[in-house]
Amino acid sequence: MADTLVERVTGSPAEVASPVAVHLVMADRTAFAGDPEPATVTGYGPIPAEIARRMVAAAVTDRRSAATLRRLYRRGGALIAMESRARRFPKVLAAFIATRDHTCRTPYCDAPIRHIDHAHPHHDGGPTSAVNGQGMCECCNYAKEASGWQVSTTVESGSHTTEFVTPTGAHYRSTAPPPPGAPQLTVATIGTRVRVDVDAMRCPAA
Ligand SMILES: [Zn+2]
């Protein structure tokens, strides 16, 4: 039954290997330093760090597979920006947006991404960029083209944020999930002072 399914889906015999790409995103410390921070599989969700490391080990030691390591840089809670002059999102930019968004950006949808959409339509001057681009499922992408919908995107506090205004006037916001890796903490001066005071209270002799 599994062989039949593969043949029907791929159109080629089951004994002929079909290429399948799996996008595994993890922090560098998870990959190389044994950090327990979960990794994520684009379109699926988080997986345990140990499983992710085993997948990488299997991919790089199996001659039949081709593993590519691509570095993604994060600043605050956001991945880097990219932009293109073309109407269609170039492959690398589309893969970048799908990696950033994981699933459809419509609030409460969570369906797999099928389209990389211009939040501000391209025919209306919307740029082909990481900020204006968002991952959408087919249903939500077609629905948002109906009259009365307004969609805008921004990068706020380092996170890519989309605001949807529905035909009835309701506002919904959707924020791209943070990439794997420990959150970058900002310690304000007052926070440092409070911590020092608490330490002094615990250890009066010091
Ligand atoms: Zn959707």
Side-chain angles (χ1 to χ4, degrees), residues 5 44 50 196 202:
L5 174 65
Y44 175 74
E50 187 54 39
V196 169
R202 279 191 192 136

Side-chain angles (χ1 to χ4, degrees), residues 1-16 18 20:
M1 287 174 68
D3 287 352
T4 304
L5 174 65
V6 170
E7 289 178 4
R8 296 280 159 79
V9 171
T10 65
S12 58
E15 57 270 21
V16 177
S18 300
V20 175

